[in-house]
Every structure is written in C-alpha cells, then in structure tokens.
Amino acid sequence: MEAIEIIRSRTVVLAQANVDTDQIIPARFLTTTSRDGLGAHLFADHRFDAHGQPRADFVFNTAEAAGCQVLVAGHNFACGSSREHAPWALLDFGVRAVISTGIADIFRTNALRNGLLPVVVDDDFHKKLLASPGTEVEIDLRRGTVTLPDGAHAEFEIEPFARFCLLEGVDPLGYLLSKEPEIRHYEGERAWRP
Amino acid sequence: MTATDQRQSETGGPRTLFDKIWDRHVVVPETNMVPAVLYVDLHLIHEVTSPQAFDLLRQRQLPVRCPERCLATVDHSVPTSPASWQIRLADMDVAPRNQIRKLDANCGRSGIRLLGINHSRRGIVHVIGPELGATQPGMTVVCGDSHTTTHGAFGALAFGIGTTEVAHVLATQCLLQRRPKTLAVEMRGRLPEGVTAKDAVLAMIGRIGVDGGTGHVIEFRGEAVRAMSMDARMTLCNMAIEAGARAGMVAPDEVTFDYLAGRPMAPKGEEWEAAIERWRHLKGDPGATFDAQVSMDVSDLAPQVTWGTDPGMVAPVTGRVPESAGQAALEYMGFAPGEPIEGRRVDVVFIGSCTNSRLSDLRQAASILTGRKVAKGVRALVVPGSQETKRRAESEGLDRVFLEAGAEWHESGCSMCIAMNGDRAGGGQTVVSTSNRNFEGRQGSGARTILASPLTAAASAVAGAVADPRSFLDQKRRIA
C-alpha cells in the first residue's frame, strides 16, 4: 500500500446525515469479483437518472467537484452494510479522505484497510466545512490535524496501529502473520471448545 | 483453568457476557500501539464479499489456515423464483454466475465446506449457521456481512467485517480488534399479542437512533427477551447493526440449549453435556457494569412501521408521520408530515430476509393469511430463509396457506431484501417488508420500503394497505 502523510485538496460537501452504503454503491453493482472500476458506480442512483444521464444538481456532477479528493459528509456517514465496495468505489473515483462528525464502524475499518482516511472532527469545525464547500484543506496524518486556508484547524484521531500502517505504507496482514507462534500457542493452550 | 483464563481472572471484578467471550479469544492483548489479536471460531462465507479476499490470499501465496472453521453458502445473488428449484447456472446472469462459480472453486481448492446452489441445506448464511448448529454460545463468529450480528442471539460475539478482513481471517484465523464498549438494552415487561421482537427492536432503534449503538456491543436483557424464542432473539440481534452497534447478544439459557440440541453440527453425547455445563456460565456476573444502559417497557408497545429512509424513522402503526420529518425522506417515500401511516396503499409485500424468514416468522404470517386473500393488485412474496425452513414449512402446510391466499412461495435466499437476484420492486412502489433496511433504492431503484413484522406485513397484504395486525387477531377470535 502507498504511504500517506499529507492530503491537500478542495472539498466536496454532501451534508445529509446517515448516508448509507446502499447510496454509496447500490447492491446491484456488488456482483463483481474485482475491486477495480467501482468508481463508475459511485452514488449511481444520485449521479444518474433513470436513463443513465448525469443529474446536473448532484454535487459530484458539478464542475467544482472535479478532482476533489476530500469528501465532507454528514453525521454517521456510510452506515449500513459491510460492503468494502463502498471505500473501493470512493477511492476509484478519486476520494482519499472523508471528514464527518461520525463515521460508521465497519466502513471506518474498511476505509483504513484501503488507505481512505476516515477523519472525525468536532461539530463546530464540521459546520465550518459544511458552510464552505470547495475550500482547500490540508489533512496531516502524522500530526492528526485538518487545517483550513485561514489557519483554523481541528484535531482528529486514527487508531494508532492503522495510522502507523498508513504512514509507513505497510499492510496489517503482515503483522497478523507474524503472530503465528502466538496463535499456535493459543490454539494449543485452549482446553475448552467454544 | 487455562493460563489465559488465569491471567484474565486475576484482573478481577465482575464481567459482562461480552467481557467473558472477548477475554477468552484474546491471542495477543491490545496495547496503546496495537489492537488485540482476536481469535475467530466460526467464519461464515458467501459469494458476494469473498472473491476478492481469496484473490488476496493467492497474490500473497497464503493458504486458508483453518478451512474447518469456515462454512460457505450462496444466498445474495441466487434466484428464488419458484420455477428454479433446480437452479441452473446457465440460466443466471453472467456476473452472479461468475461469483457462484468462483466461490465453488475457492472453497474446493481450500477444503472449505460449501452448501452450494443445489445443496439441500443451503440458505441465507445467518439462517443456516444457527439451523445447522454451527453457531454456538461463547463463540466468536464473523462474516463479510453486517447482519452477522444475528448469531449473537446464542450468546456468541458475532459481527460483520469487510473483504480485507475476510482475507485476514482466512489467512490467520484472527482479526485485529480494539475492545468495543458495551451497551445494555433492558426490555421490561411482556410483549402484547400481535407485537413481536421486530417491533421491539424497531422501537429501540427509533429511540436510540441509527448511530445510537456505534462503537458498542449491545446485550439485550430483561423479561421480554428471556420470554423470546431463538427465532425472535435472532431478529433482535440481527437489527443491532441498524442502530450502528458492533454486535448484539443475548445470554444463552434453556431456550438456547433446547434449540441447539440435536442440530447436525452441535456437540453430541458427552460432549453435549460438557458444552451445556460450559455454556451455563456464559452470563454477566452480578454487579458487572456496562458503558451505557437503556431501559424500555415493552408491555404497551404497538406494532412498529417505518415511514422514512432509515430504520430509525419509525412510528407505531397507529401513529402518524412526524411533523418534524425531514424533507428528503418524505419526498422519497411520498408521505406528508402528520399523515397517518395505517391505510397507506401497498404494492408489494415481502416476507423474508435474515431478519424474519425463519419458521416461526412464516407461521406468524400464515396465521393471518389462513382463510384470507392477498388484496387485488398486491404482489406478496414469501421467501423462506433456507431450504430446510422451506421443507419444514411445507410439511406443516404453510406453503398451501400462502399459495391459496394468492401469495408467491419461493426458494430460499436474500431475495428482495437486497434486490440483487432479480427479485425487486419498481420505482415508486410501496413495499411492506420484513427485512432490515428501508434505505433508498434498497429493494429496487425508487422503491419505497416500509419495515414491519411478519404479522404486520401479512395483515397489510390482505388489506392492500398498511394495516394493524391486532385487528386481524381480534377478528379471528370473534370467529372462533
């Protein structure tokens, strides 16, 4: 995995709370056996009308959204299913970080495992971001800060091991594999069955 | 006592059910820098979230570490139409067919037991795990599916994971996990007639919100929970994820043991006796504390239905859409603020899904449909959770009840809960559904979902509109 330290980008804002994974990537696109190419279907039912034409009023279809790598989302973003297709679709589309006041548990883990930064900030800072779509932000993973052009900033926390893996560009599976002796020991020691 | 148990008991203090299961599965304890390495007892696998995980193992040249701890089936994309009882892969669309073939090949190569498309015990992964006795108290259970929380009904710690973590478990039988917080949900009193576990859990989500359980494992407790069947407890735990919770669980008791006794994968003979002895200790110690607590009296609860686009937008069936309801949800659902929900015209009724497709759910639906007809213009689908459930329902004559009422009787699968297999509702249609998510487009692009219990769904099928099942129960009594 590619190491991540700093993400600088303009923001695209989707203020609605509880945007679920069925909105991010509808289930009919989950028949793929690949993790590639899902960006084409990101927010499919919102980006396209019944005839497959782009809806001009959806934020991801606007000229300003082009090239934005940071999504500012409403509270409890990506609630619902465990489909990793959700972070795959966002990353494939070019989104590298999501900023919200709350991000659903399974999605957050899936995002971290794929190098999509789930950034949870306080309510006041979030309001500021919602009010200024297209603003340039700098996300500094090492320092754990999001900074606006006027210098205003917020701190965020990422689970320390996931953060380490992202900064170093290493895969946590390697760590799990290195614990094989402990796993064997555990299996041998466990006198009981589940 | 093992050394691991020894270490944990030395930390002292009364522990919750969750604490006990967690502690027993820690291979490497967590520190500030690293999460715990947590051992997984049962890994359930299906066709949609596993192919990329098997690919990852192949790329890394890693074997499946413990195929005997895996159980695979096909459920999400399989056709359920009555004509397809011998499903031929050739009849399926290319993409789902490819998924099913890949699962077959991946399981075959790795030595994983697969209940494949024409296997007599196949079904929805969260229905067959318990039905086969694979899900047992005290286990850690994971699956690449958020409704894995269902298995917590047995006093297991069960939760959904993404595909990368599916690969982690395939390769190491372990996961990296931070210890979640705990939330006790106490359900006081007894559920009234016509009101079910589905209504209780919808009411809970309405109260704590769709993110009310985030970061927490819920333990459902109290008189109402103790009085529930295993099927009802599974409904409860299934919906824990809809409150954002990591998992839901119920401490095992005689109801649990009776359910598991004699199941194909449950322990037998002396092992069974020893297992029950162990499982009896799987309950919270007196004085064990939770990070948060919610208490609700369910003795006056009415049947619950959703009116909006997430499971927290819920009201009693006799209630009205809140005046304060959000514009987007109202517009999508075609409801006005303050509008009564009962009486809303219905196009489709779906009875099925990992939430409500078990035998007792089907019996409840049949109790309403016996001697009645599905209203003209309403399409009613009954989709059993597994082929075994289907056979048992048929041996009781439930299929006749559904067919004579004018409903469709299907093969098992996820079907219209996720609308991946061709079973879907049309844009603008209103669906009363016993499934778990009323998200926009979940049951088909533009389809409007109203979540409800099997009783409410069946009553609504007969009325052709959202209906209160209690009035149907009264009628039956009067006739008798």
Side-chain angles (χ1 to χ4, degrees), chain B residues 454-468:
Chain B
L455 287 173
T456 304
S460 302
V462 173
V466 175
D468 186 339

Side-chain angles (χ1 to χ4, degrees), chain B residues 60-96:
Chain B
R60 304 273 297 248
Q61 297 182 304
L62 294 166
V64 174
R65 190 176 184 282
C66 305
E68 71 282 5
R69 290 192 177 277
C70 301
L71 179 65
T73 194
V74 288
D75 54 8
H76 282 65
S77 53
V78 297
T80 66
S81 63
S84 63
W85 68 274
Q86 273 291 318
I87 296 165
R88 293 186 312 157
L89 284 176
D91 296 338
M92 291 180 65
D93 286 345
V94 175

Side-chain angles (χ1 to χ4, degrees), chain A residues 20 22-23 30-32 34 75 80 82 84 105 110 113 159-161 171 180 186-187 189-190 193, chain B residues 3-4 24 33 39 41 52 60 65 99 145 162-165 178 211 215 278 437 439-440 442:
Chain A
D20 57 75
D22 278 87
Q23 308 316 308
L30 308 188
T31 53
T32 176
S34 161
H75 186 67
S82 64
E84 203 159 309
D105 282 339
N110 287 342
R113 299 277 181 257
E159 191 283 308
F161 185 70
D171 176 353
E180 177 62 22
Y186 171 87
E187 287 173 327
E189 190 190 48
R190 202 162 74 155
R193 291 173 184 223
Chain B
T4 312
R24 281 194 161 186
M33 272 313 295
Y39 197 78
D41 293 318
Q52 298 90 342
R60 304 273 297 248
R65 190 176 184 282
Q99 277 189 333
D145 191 284
T163 297
T164 301
E165 293 205 321
R178 289 285 175 187
D211 70 332
R278 278 194 316 273
R437 288 185 175 140
F439 298 154
E440 288 183 29
R442 173 83 178 184

Side-chain angles (χ1 to χ4, degrees), chain B residues 40 46 82 94 101 114 125 130 139 213 215 247 272 327 333 343 370 408 464:
Chain B
V40 173
H46 65 80
V94 175
R101 283 199 172 135
L114 168 66
V125 66
M139 278 185 164
W272 170 254
Q327 191 55 39
M333 292 299 295
T370 302
E408 300 170 16

Side-chain angles (χ1 to χ4, degrees), chain B residues 160-243:
Chain B
I161 56 176
T163 297
T164 301
E165 293 205 321
V166 168
H168 289 183
V169 180
L170 287 173
T172 68
Q173 205 53 36
C174 290
L175 276 175
L176 288 166
Q177 286 283 306
R178 289 285 175 187
R179 189 186 191 105
K181 292 181 188 154
T182 53
L183 165 62
V185 172
E186 174 102 7
M187 295 186 170
R188 290 177 286 116
R190 291 284 182 117
L191 288 168
E193 204 186 349
V195 183
T196 68
K198 180 64 162 293
D199 303 298
V201 74
L202 282 171
M204 179 204 78
I205 298 165
R207 176 155 156 198
I208 71 173
V210 289
D211 70 332
T214 302
H216 291 75
V217 168
I218 296 177
E219 184 183 333
F220 294 100
R221 304 147 63 89
E223 188 190 352
V225 179
R226 293 266 74 92
M228 284 180 192
S229 68
M230 285 315 298
D231 286 2
R233 292 177 190 182
M234 283 188 255
T235 301
L236 211 55
C237 291
N238 173 278
M239 296 285 286
I241 180 68
E242 305 314 327

